[in-house]
Amino acid sequence: MLIHGGSTAVMEPHVVKIFGERNTGTRALGALVRQVPNVTHRIRPRSEIPPFDGAVEAAIESQMRGHWRRLYLHALRDDQAATYAQDDPWKHALPRLTDSMIEARVKTLLLVRNPYSWLIGLARRPYHLKGPQAQTLDDFAARPWMTERREGLPAVLASPLDLWSRKMRGCLDYRTAAHEVGLPSKIIRFEAFVQNPKATAAMGLHDLGIQAQPLSDMPKNTKEKEPDLTVLQRYYTQELWRARLTRETVRRVNARVDWDVAGALDYQRLDPHDFPEVLPEAEAQAMRAEMASLASPVHWPASQALHRETGTAAAT
């Protein structure tokens, strides 16, 4: 749509919201969408966020040290962000359609991911983890998870897997709510996005009614110390992440995932009996190292080592 002001014609921007749980590709998708000049991502600018109490921040800085200072400062900023998110939700929040979003005629992309591979991804990079990291993937699946205030969820969930079930159902509910008020939305599977980020993003924008100019390729991962795209494509196409699953982990996922939601997103339940009781020692050591690091480069399954440049597999 063109807005005419005197002799100048200005294209009205589209407001495109992106929702997705942690480790579903929201950062990479956002980077591609931002290439489109007439697209904005927020209903109102960050400059409109009311500042938090500077005296409280100063007290934290002067009286707290190390982990405690980080924890308190994070809580202060999360509280501030939660106030802003009442109208314009955080990308990792439970998807919801606000009156302000309806007024702004938002268009929405919703990212989803296979629950098994997502659990492995979150254990490797547990953004916003509060408390000690678990020692194994089985233990991680069973530990409680403290949420962010801006997520729009209960303060504590029984398992990280509850994030998946609640937010994936939220994606389906959001799509219905948006349709009812005439707003376009599109669910994008992480697995399809990894295979061809540029084409998937362009198709998503097309389905929202946005004609994007040719998007630029993104050969590098948007996260530091992570593999390039060709390596990720092989990893997810061949589902090499299965090498990190034990029988017990699969049981835990099966018990906590909402399989009506998973089925609607075309994700299938795995059979625990297809997986070992105990991981091979090389796999177990690699997973422990990744989880202990919290920000380590990916260690590919030891039985399917991948060359970082070519993406080819080599037997070990």
Side-chain angles (χ1 to χ4, degrees), residues 208-226:
L208 298 183
I210 300 172
Q211 298 302 320
Q213 81 277 17
L215 301 176
S216 300
D217 287 317
M218 295 182 61
K220 293 193 175 183
N221 200 306
T222 56
K223 295 179 180 178
E224 293 183 1
K225 299 181 180 179
E226 290 284 4

Side-chain angles (χ1 to χ4, degrees), residues 215-262:
L215 301 176
S216 300
D217 287 317
M218 295 182 61
K220 293 193 175 183
N221 200 306
T222 56
K223 295 179 180 178
E224 293 183 1
K225 299 181 180 179
E226 290 284 4
D228 288 343
L229 181 60
T230 53
V231 180
L232 291 175
Q233 288 169 335
R234 185 178 185 89
Y235 183 73
Y236 289 105
T237 297
Q238 297 187 7
E239 296 189 342
L240 299 181
W241 47 262
R242 288 179 179 240
R244 292 290 165 80
L245 296 174
T246 64
R247 192 168 298 179
E248 182 59 27
T249 301
V250 174
R251 288 194 186 106
R252 290 186 187 279
V253 175
N254 290 354
R256 298 213 70 89
V257 161
D258 184 331
W259 288 102
D260 288 337
V261 170

Side-chain angles (χ1 to χ4, degrees), residues 89-283:
W90 184 38
K91 67 177 183 177
H92 294 320
L94 179 72
R96 62 186 180 87
L97 189 61
T98 69
D99 291 341
S100 296
M101 291 166 67
I102 295 173
E103 183 179 354
R105 307 305 296 170
V106 298
K107 306 169 190 293
T108 309
L109 299 172
L110 303 124
L111 280 156
V112 301
R113 179 173 174 177
N114 181 292
Y116 301 97
S117 79
W118 173 82
L119 178 68
I120 295 169
L122 185 65
R124 288 189 58 255
R125 284 187 174 269
Y127 296 110
H128 311 109
L129 173 73
K130 299 174 181 65
Q133 172 64 306
Q135 297 298 307
T136 68
L137 187 60
D138 291 348
D139 292 341
F140 182 76
R143 63 156 291 163
W145 182 273
M146 185 181 294
T147 66
E148 301 288 287
R149 185 182 171 205
R150 55 191 154 149
E151 282 185 83
L153 292 172
V156 179
L157 301 175
S159 163
L161 286 161
D162 292 352
L163 289 169
W164 192 95
S165 286
R166 286 174 179 262
K167 291 185 182 177
M168 297 307 104
R169 179 170 288 282
C171 287
L172 296 176
D173 291 344
Y174 182 99
R175 183 174 63 178
T176 299
H179 177 75
E180 289 176 350
V181 294
L183 297 179
S185 65
K186 172 74 172 181
I187 290 178
I188 294 177
R189 285 164 50 99
F190 170 79
E191 295 79 14
F193 179 61
V194 168
Q195 291 310 308
N196 196 332
K198 185 173 66 171
T200 304
M203 181 59 69
L205 289 168
H206 177 270
D207 290 347
L208 298 183
I210 300 172
Q211 298 302 320
Q213 81 277 17
L215 301 176
S216 300
D217 287 317
M218 295 182 61
K220 293 193 175 183
N221 200 306
T222 56
K223 295 179 180 178
E224 293 183 1
K225 299 181 180 179
E226 290 284 4
D228 288 343
L229 181 60
T230 53
V231 180
L232 291 175
Q233 288 169 335
R234 185 178 185 89
Y235 183 73
Y236 289 105
T237 297
Q238 297 187 7
E239 296 189 342
L240 299 181
W241 47 262
R242 288 179 179 240
R244 292 290 165 80
L245 296 174
T246 64
R247 192 168 298 179
E248 182 59 27
T249 301
V250 174
R251 288 194 186 106
R252 290 186 187 279
V253 175
N254 290 354
R256 298 213 70 89
V257 161
D258 184 331
W259 288 102
D260 288 337
V261 170
L265 298 173
D266 201 28
Y267 293 122
Q268 307 303 316
R269 189 193 310 252
L270 297 179
D271 186 343
H273 295 96
D274 292 337
F275 296 86
E277 288 283 0
V278 179
L279 288 181
E281 185 55 30
E283 301 289 356

